[in-house]
Amino acid sequence: MKNALILFVLFFSIQSQSQTYLKFNAATAAIAIPNIGIETSIGEKTTFSVDIMASFWESFNGNSPMKFCTLTPEIRYHFKEKYNGFYVGAHAGPDVYELQKWDYFDTNKYEHGFGYRLGATVGYNVKLNDKFLLDIFVGGGWHQGFYHGYYNDGTPGRYEKAKEWNKSGEWLPYRGGVMISYKLN
């Protein structure tokens, strides 16, 4: 309880001294994958953003699961001024998933596991008015996954024979969209 109170006081003291935006990704919402976040000022040209994205799709094609949840905390540097123009960001965050990997789309296999991402984002903020802005961005990086591989056609057991967790690391594009941002203060 004490830690929650400290975090609450810290969050609202930062928020009272800085601009804070609540964000919603319109691009991922169009395919029923919610992505929401919050971004707040932490310096003259820097901000801290954190967002969560989740897919609850049992399957896109009736056979292969597509469920995942990612958490992406990110430090952003704005070249012109905060919340206006180009920025770059660096992030690291966890994920959990039950999905068919991009290179297994033509197979009867899927993966259930967790992982982490280390990467970068490039974006552009467009101020619409005093309260709203658009955040257009793309990002990617290194994903390290730990998973169990299963068959999606009813075949029992795992397709891979790793004793504990199978591991897979790859460079991937894994984020992007158009965040509609609303200024809270």
Side-chain angles (χ1 to χ4, degrees):
M1 182 67 180
K2 182 179 173 183
N3 290 340
L5 180 61
I6 291 169
L7 286 174
F8 180 79
V9 169
L10 179 63
F11 176 76
F12 282 103
S13 65
I14 289 171
Q15 185 176 349
S16 68
Q17 300 298 316
S18 62
Q19 297 173 338
T20 302
Y21 284 86
L22 186 60
K23 307 181 322 178
F24 178 75
N25 194 334
T28 60
I31 55 173
I33 299 176
N35 182 198
I36 60 170
I38 192 164
E39 184 173 0
T40 193
S41 174
I42 59 172
E44 187 178 331
K45 289 189 174 185
T46 56
T47 59
F48 176 72
S49 175
V50 63
D51 66 74
I52 186 165
M53 178 170 57
S55 170
F56 304 103
W57 288 82
E58 288 296 325
S59 173
F60 278 134
N61 64 4
N63 196 21
S64 304
M66 186 54 93
K67 296 186 277 188
F68 65 85
C69 183
T70 66
L71 178 68
T72 308
E74 181 171 63
I75 300 292
R76 294 178 170 180
Y77 176 79
H78 300 260
F79 293 102
K80 188 175 178 179
E81 62 182 350
K82 289 180 292 201
Y83 310 114
N84 190 16
F86 282 104
Y87 68 85
V88 293
H91 58 263
D95 55 54
V96 294
Y97 54 88
E98 183 178 345
L99 54 75
Q100 191 170 49
K101 288 172 60 175
W102 65 273
D103 56 345
Y104 283 22
F105 284 150
D106 59 348
T107 71
N108 65 339
K109 301 173 183 176
Y110 74 95
E111 294 68 35
H112 186 208
F114 62 95
Y116 63 87
R117 294 161 294 110
L118 302 171
T121 302
V122 176
Y124 190 83
N125 291 149
V126 177
K127 284 190 176 186
L128 300 176
N129 59 36
D130 191 43
K131 283 292 196 181
F132 286 94
L133 67 86
L134 295 180
D135 180 1
I136 304 157
F137 68 100
V138 295
W142 178 256
H143 179 265
Q144 181 65 55
F146 303 88
Y147 63 90
H148 294 147
Y150 298 102
Y151 297 100
N152 61 12
D153 63 2
T155 303
R158 291 168 42 188
Y159 72 77
E160 40 78 24
K161 303 301 178 203
K163 197 168 192 100
E164 295 295 325
W165 294 95
N166 200 354
K167 299 169 190 76
S168 174
E170 52 247 331
W171 292 95
L172 296 170
Y174 49 71
R175 49 189 276 115
V178 178
M179 289 281 202
I180 298 171
S181 304
Y182 174 74
K183 187 176 177 182
L184 295 177
N185 51 357

